[in-house]
Amino acid sequence: MSLARPIAYLAGVGASAPEGRLTNADLERTLDTNDEWIVERTGIRERRIARRDEPLLEYTLRAARQAMERAGVTAEQIDGIIFATVTPDRRLPSAACDLQSALGAKKAWAFDLVAACPGWVYAISAAEGMMAAGLGDTILVVGAEKLSTITDFSDRSTAILFGDGAGAGILRRGAEGSDRGVLATYLGADGDLAELLYIPAGGSAEPLTPEIVQEKRHLMRMAGREVFKAAVLAMSRSTDEALRRAGLPPGSIDLLIPHQANLRIIEATAKHAGIPMEKVMVNLDQYGNTSSASIPLAVAQAEAEGRLKPGMIVMLVAFGAGFTWGSVVIRW
Ligand code: UT7
């Protein structure tokens, strides 16, 4: 069954990241790597890294409050909170419940969503569906990570990539007859490929032990080259599919806001879609890969730079661990 869209639009987006910076020059001091290799192979120049005692909630709150302010929404008006993350401050209760309490969003339902890098794309889709089901008109959609807690800083193939950050959006029910908002969504997953990007232990199957920590099996492992190829393929297909679902012809994207994992993946996705790089939002040089925070951080920056104008067709597209992927087309 399909729904008459648009149902929902992004009324405000906010972003925040820890102050701490880790540059390529910093990494050169501890790893067998160099700035030239990192910039050429990934496009990343620095990342934000939270202090050990700086909880995810701290910078997520700043992002959420900014999104609310820009949307003109108070905590009392929020009907629900979806918090996409793979690095919650604690396992129980959800990060969404901690955020609900910190905001004083008393009437909001709240839950976490685990979909790795496409987390925010999944969360927008979930929020839109819940809105269609009558579960609210104003939903806070968060993508935030403290990836530094699951990164192996002795592994040069992953340590150079990841960073911390938070993004948030207020998804609101649109006015009757408005053509602004989410036009189409597309989501996919392939759990057969889970072990190309995963954390081997520390979950319920193999609870944390000193040995696991010693062997660093509680940290992320990635088969970079395989993930790279799968990312290009899935992001290209996701872009095509969301456009098709929106009934829009190829070439109608005004701004592509892709997951910020690797500049070469972004360039390949843009090339496949026939989009010149001037119409692509890139900020991974400043943040690296922040998983579910990556797209909202980029959306907030695009807005701050005046790159988002009413009526524009905006494509969000992401790929990550699972594997998972997804895309959202929005008329801004
Ligand atoms: O969020 C979604 C999930 N993540 C991604 O989308 C990431 C996808 N993958 C990638 O971005 C890339 O595969 C990487 C950036 C991780 C690696 O780039 P690559 O061009 O695929 O390099 P590679 O793994 O094929 O390695 C090429 C060489 C190897 O040396 P040899 O075997 O050719 O001698 C590596 O050992 O580069 C070496 N290498 C490095 N050299 C300097 C790997 N990492 C580094 C490093 N500095 N940090």
Side-chain angles (χ1 to χ4, degrees), residues 27 31-34 37-38 40-42 44 116-118 155-162 197 222-229 231-232 235 259-265 289-291 294 318-321 323-324:
L27 288 166
L31 291 171
D32 179 18
T33 190
N34 57 78
W37 192 95
I38 301 173
E40 195 183 301
R41 306 306 294 167
T42 73
I44 300 166
C117 303
D155 173 8
R156 70 173 182 178
S157 70
T158 52
I160 58 157
L161 299 174
F162 300 104
L197 175 47
M222 179 173 75
R225 218 172 299 183
E226 284 76 11
V227 175
F228 186 101
K229 281 186 237 154
V232 171
M235 283 176 56
H259 171 49
Q260 310 283 310
N262 185 314
L263 185 58
R264 291 182 295 137
I265 296 175
N289 181 346
T290 57
S291 193
S294 130
F319 174 88
F323 290 154
T324 50

